Amino acid sequence: MSTEKKFASQADLADKKVSFDKLSEHAYAYTAEGDPNTGIVVGDNAVMVIDTQATPIMAQDVIQRIRAVTDKPIKYVVLSHYHAVRVLGASAYRPEHIIASRDTYDLIVERGEADMKSEIERFPRLFRAVESVPGLTWPTLTFQGEMTLWLGKLEVKIMQLGRGHTKGDTVVWLPQEKILFSGDLVEYEATPYAGDAYFNDWPRTLDALAALGPAKLVPGRGASLQTPEQVQAGLSATRAFLSDLFASIKQGAQAGQEMHAIYHETYRQLKPKYGHWVIFDHCMPFDVSRAYDEATRYPDPRIWTAQRDQEMWKALEG
Ligand SMILES: [Zn+2]
């Protein structure tokens, strides 16, 4: 812990190694050592992409991997939530439909522009060729609760099972193969970003994911989980991080401590257990800020802007 920590992921410039895992006859996972993942579903007549990468240029690598396994048209993009680093590559796929929950759509209206500016500064490496982004990604089809898409005989359920990482979190579930694409609701050896989270709701949403009984799970970040035991490990580690962090914040807030002290105490407590996870130093200030807000007087996450990012970072890390 020092004043030399660079803002967010600005010091993270080394390329990651991509894996493209075949999970079943219909499902693939594009992962990259803790960078944001993309899920792929190959149906009888069309391909669906779940989360797009940060820019159209970055998305080209996903498209090349898809083309190595199928020449079916990419007709659907599903947004697991609104974060820029996952959605701004959508135009590269030229999909017929971009599917999102109504809550995700509302968040894009309310804070998409501010979030885009803030995330571009947080992740310079992931927004390579940011000039190729044509603007915000707008869903063309929204749903509430759940919807089912039949890709020929393959049933694809697109579901909102509760709030957690954001208000609009959406998962994709293949019931016939018991494969779940969780978005950032679950991470594996990567730190959950909780700057826009609902700490009180997130554990219940994880219960709902576990109740599906996934045999395999593609998390938002980290390797694909390919056995029920690995799925369980991913779910429980995500849950443990959130509850350890929120417990520490609530304790500090109830004792009337100020943010700076609470932040450093929480960082000290969590570092030994989670400090080796990807983007730990990036996430902690944002996660603690939101947890403190929720534990005190803000039931809903406040909008992050590039300016608020910097002010918060200075206050906690400066
Ligand atoms: Zn996210």
Side-chain angles (χ1 to χ4, degrees):
M1 200 170 326
S2 75
T3 52
E4 288 151 46
K5 265 187 208 163
K6 272 212 165 186
F7 171 68
S9 288
Q10 287 187 352
D12 170 10
L13 299 172
D15 275 330
K16 305 270 185 151
K17 188 174 164 290
V18 171
S19 302
F20 192 70
D21 302 329
K22 182 169 185 171
L23 304 180
S24 72
E25 200 190 329
H26 300 105
Y28 295 82
Y30 179 100
T31 69
E33 301 181 323
D35 276 356
N37 293 336
T38 291
I40 293 100
V41 176
V42 181
D44 295 335
N45 48 8
V47 176
M48 168 186 287
V49 167
I50 302 140
D51 290 341
T52 73
Q53 302 293 309
T55 68
I57 296 290
M58 300 287 279
Q60 287 304 332
D61 190 49
V62 179
I63 293 172
Q64 276 180 23
R65 309 262 173 173
I66 294 172
R67 286 294 163 247
V69 297
T70 179
D71 54 9
K72 291 171 187 167
I74 302 170
K75 286 194 184 171
Y76 305 99
V77 163
V78 174
L79 310 181
S80 69
H81 59 289
Y82 75 99
H83 284 149
V85 76
R86 300 191 167 266
V87 309
L88 293 186
S91 62
Y93 303 92
R94 301 176 189 278
E96 280 180 18
H97 279 293
I98 297 175
I99 303 169
S101 65
R102 178 68 206 205
D103 286 322
T104 289
Y105 181 90
D106 290 344
L107 285 166
I108 297 169
V109 171
E110 180 196 46
R111 56 184 71 192
E113 199 74 46
D115 171 72
M116 171 163 69
K117 292 193 179 114
S118 136
E119 289 200 48
I120 287 169
E121 296 204 2
R122 293 181 191 183
F123 298 108
R125 177 171 57 81
L126 296 177
F127 281 96
R128 189 155 61 222
V130 67
E131 65 285 353
S132 64
V133 173
L136 289 176
T137 295
W138 289 102
T140 60
L141 209 161
T142 62
F143 70 97
Q144 287 175 297
E146 67 170 65
M147 63 177 280
T148 300
L149 200 65
W150 291 91
L151 299 180
K153 291 198 174 88
L154 184 72
E155 181 178 12
V156 182
K157 297 194 99 169
I158 304 170
M159 300 188 288
Q160 215 184 346
L161 294 171
R163 303 186 296 192
H165 177 69
T166 70
K167 181 175 77 171
D169 294 334
T170 295
V171 302
V172 173
W173 170 238
L174 307 182
Q176 293 151 338
E177 297 179 341
K178 295 193 173 298
I179 294 175
L180 182 66
F181 299 87
S182 70
D184 282 327
L185 281 168
V186 182
E187 311 292 17
Y188 187 65
E189 299 197 335
T191 311
Y193 173 76
D196 301 303
Y198 290 82
F199 279 89
N200 284 307
D201 293 15
W202 199 332
R204 277 199 299 277
T205 306
L206 291 176
D207 291 343
L209 264 54
L212 294 170
K216 299 182 183 183
L217 184 151
V218 180
R221 289 173 175 266
S224 57
L225 305 173
Q226 302 199 23
T227 66
E229 293 71 30
Q230 287 177 2
V231 170
Q232 194 46 52
L235 286 165
S236 46
T238 301
R239 184 189 300 269
F241 173 86
L242 296 167
S243 84
D244 288 354
L245 187 137
F246 201 36
S248 170
I249 302 305
K250 281 193 285 196
Q251 192 180 40
Q254 275 156 17
Q257 290 172 337
E258 48 96 25
M259 264 291 281
H260 189 268
I262 296 175
Y263 172 66
H264 287 285
E265 173 55 23
T266 303
Y267 186 99
R268 193 189 61 74
Q269 276 185 31
L270 269 63
K271 174 86 175 166
K273 200 166 161 191
Y274 308 107
H276 61 291
W277 284 0
V278 175
I279 62 169
F280 180 78
D281 280 359
H282 171 142
C283 289
M284 281 300 284
F286 294 98
D287 291 7
V288 168
S289 298
R290 170 59 195 147
Y292 182 80
D293 272 5
E294 188 170 337
T296 54
R297 63 204 158 106
Y298 294 100
D300 291 300
R302 290 187 282 154
I303 296 175
W304 290 101
T305 63
Q307 188 188 349
R308 181 178 168 223
D309 279 14
Q310 294 294 337
E311 286 167 3
M312 177 282 290
W313 196 270
K314 246 182 241 135
L316 296 185
E317 289 289 354

